[in-house]
Amino acid sequence: GAVVSQHPSWVICKSGTSVKIECRSLDFQATTMFWYRQFPKQSLMLMATSNEGSKATYEQGVEKDKFLINHASLTLSTLTVTSAHPEDSSFYICSAPRTSGSGGGTDTQYFGPGTRLTVL
Amino acid sequence: GQNIDQPTEMTATEGAIVQINCTYQTSGFNGLFWYQQHAGEAPTFLSYNVLDGLEEKGRFSSFLSRSKGYSYLLLKELQMKDSASYLCAVLDSNYQLIWGAGTKLIIKP
């Protein structure tokens, strides 16, 4: 079953409004979560790394004032698209690494199901 | 429930061929993706299959059988740089991505 969830699955909004997308790790804690954007049949583009208890790290070219990230707890990160415009319409995906084993175990990335944003 | 199964890890030799299988059980089907992910990097799109059959793209090919809920990614003439995790993901009836846990491919000289 899914170990990372996203809400909402779909959202349609008017241009100029803000939209919040939630990413939750369901049965593990994640001090780090990643936010991606995906265009049809293209690679996932890393937007930012969400860090619990500190500021997010944004990739070059991603406007941090437009894409607000808050890692409120060890199981929840939110991405808020502020003043959304039609060019922000996309598929937004989050992921969270889960460490298996103790003392330096390997990480497995678990991906969320995605949130489809359409800005009219 | 929805489920994607793929092997956790595979090992192959440089220059050889390897096939990574993926089986799925999802509510509806709107296509299957394969991605390659190197450690610390974002997943890179490799292929998208929505109809049955084999799609060839250079050294990589992807096959789909919708009736069997089965896909495979075939990598030929393996190179050391092909060492990575390979993710299988299905787009379900709600256009949500259902992800496999990934197959870690180790290439040995």
Side-chain angles (χ1 to χ4, degrees):
Chain A
V3 295
V4 173
S5 70
Q6 284 183 239
H7 178 79
S9 304
W10 292 81
V11 57
I12 301 173
C13 68
K14 292 182 180 180
S15 186
T17 60
S18 294
V19 174
K20 180 187 282 187
I21 303 170
E22 294 184 349
C23 177
R24 292 183 186 273
S25 56
L26 297 181
D27 59 357
F28 67 100
Q29 295 180 333
T31 55
T32 302
M33 291 184 177
F34 301 95
W35 285 97
Y36 303 88
R37 185 172 178 177
Q38 184 182 27
F39 295 99
K41 298 185 190 178
Q42 293 189 25
S43 303
L44 274 63
M45 184 193 79
L46 180 64
M47 298 175 65
T49 302
S50 173
N51 304 299
E52 191 271 336
S54 64
K55 291 182 180 179
T57 306
Y58 290 82
E59 296 299 303
Q60 193 171 8
V62 178
E63 298 175 62
K64 55 184 170 184
D65 293 333
K66 180 168 183 63
F67 297 99
L68 300 178
I69 290 172
N70 181 25
H71 201 132
S73 74
L74 287 171
T75 59
L76 173 65
S77 174
T78 60
L79 168 68
T80 301
V81 183
T82 62
S83 187
H85 291 285
E87 57 265 31
D88 298 324
S89 298
S90 192
F91 201 39
Y92 292 87
I93 298 169
C94 71
S95 73
R98 181 178 188 177
T99 303
S100 58
S102 59
T106 56
D107 280 354
T108 299
Q109 282 286 345
Y110 290 97
F111 290 85
T115 296
R116 193 169 298 277
L117 171 64
T118 302
V119 185
L120 302 176
Chain B
Q2 310 208 84
N3 196 49
I4 308 276
D5 283 316
Q6 52 181 130
T8 304
E9 187 174 294
M10 298 181 72
T11 303
T13 306
E14 192 177 14
I17 299 173
V18 72
Q19 178 175 309
I20 303 175
N21 295 325
C22 171
T23 57
Y24 62 90
Q25 296 166 310
T26 57
S27 55
F29 179 83
N30 280 299
L32 184 145
F33 294 85
W34 283 98
Y35 295 90
Q36 178 192 61
Q37 186 178 28
H38 287 99
E41 298 180 11
T44 304
F45 170 81
L46 292 178
S47 66
Y48 171 71
N49 293 67
V50 66
L51 298 176
D52 290 350
L54 185 69
E55 298 256 352
E56 297 185 75
K57 197 184 293 185
R59 293 191 299 116
F60 293 5
S61 303
S62 57
F63 171 83
L64 174 68
S65 169
R66 288 172 295 171
S67 62
K68 295 181 180 178
Y70 167 69
S71 171
Y72 67 73
L73 180 68
L74 190 71
L75 292 79
K76 302 177 185 176
E77 300 168 18
L78 286 170
Q79 301 174 10
M80 297 303 292
K81 67 178 182 180
D82 297 330
S83 293
S85 285
Y86 291 84
L87 300 161
C88 172
V90 171
L91 210 55
D92 70 7
S93 56
N94 293 318
Y95 290 90
Q96 294 285 279
L97 277 172
I98 311 300
W99 294 87
T103 299
K104 184 178 179 181
L105 179 62
I106 300 167
I107 309 296
K108 295 185 175 179

